[in-house]
Amino acid sequence: MVDRPGLALALSGQIANTRIKKALAQHGLKPPHGHVLMLLSDQGATSQQSLVETLGVDPSMVVAILNDLESNGLAERRRDPADRRRHIVEISARGKVMVSGIHDAIAAVESALFADLDSEEISTLQRLLSRINTSVDETACTED
């Protein structure tokens, strides 16, 4: 497998994905929901269309995620007073608390995953992963 970095990445990614799914499930979330909450936490109030563009997924996927987040009191949508056709999405106070738990859960997973790497190696890994050619159409946000 040493000479197949794609395969090694895929297998490691499956393990990381499974662990992150389990960690987020403890908060009642799926990865796409956690991703959107973290985006809302980082970006502040944003248009629903902006989320669609950032995530690179079908608008119906974003609507479904936002419906779930809204029904759980983690996010709020409202009409843009400047343009009633647009929705503004904002993380709720409860959502902000949830994001803190999400970051803690992901940090625990990453700590275990990268236990044998030092900080410089982790930085190198992150830099290399950012250079891997993937397309927006293959975004992980579409997975449950």
Side-chain angles (χ1 to χ4, degrees):
M1 189 161 61
V2 173
D3 62 343
R4 296 287 172 216
L7 181 58
L9 180 62
L11 294 174
S12 295
Q14 286 176 342
I15 291 166
N17 189 40
T18 298
R19 290 180 185 180
I20 287 175
K21 278 183 179 181
K22 285 180 182 178
L24 292 176
Q26 292 177 352
H27 294 277
L29 296 172
K30 294 178 180 179
H33 297 77
H35 187 191
V36 170
L37 275 179
M38 289 188 293
L39 282 173
L40 291 173
S41 178
D42 290 345
Q43 296 178 356
T46 189
S47 74
Q48 190 167 309
Q49 182 59 37
S50 177
L51 280 176
V52 168
E53 292 165 6
T54 299
L55 295 169
V57 297
D58 188 86
S60 64
M61 175 69 68
V62 173
V63 169
I65 292 168
L66 292 177
N67 286 345
D68 292 343
L69 293 176
E70 209 170 21
S71 70
N72 288 312
L74 300 172
E76 301 163 355
R77 272 182 288 197
R78 64 182 184 284
R79 294 280 182 190
D80 183 345
D83 182 351
R84 303 285 300 156
R85 296 170 295 177
R86 292 181 42 184
H87 281 97
I88 301 297
V89 184
E90 190 168 12
I91 191 168
S92 69
R94 184 167 180 244
K96 289 177 185 176
V97 171
M98 181 70 73
V99 167
S100 177
I102 292 168
H103 283 295
D104 291 345
I106 291 172
V109 169
E110 289 175 341
S111 179
L113 282 171
F114 306 133
D116 293 335
L117 303 178
D118 63 34
S119 60
E120 187 177 322
E121 289 170 320
I122 293 170
S123 293
T124 299
L125 175 62
Q126 193 166 11
R127 190 177 67 254
L128 292 171
L129 288 172
S130 72
R131 293 177 47 202
I132 293 175
N133 289 323
T134 57
S135 74
V136 174
D137 294 337
E138 298 170 318
T139 183
C141 187
T142 60
E143 276 189 31
D144 284 332

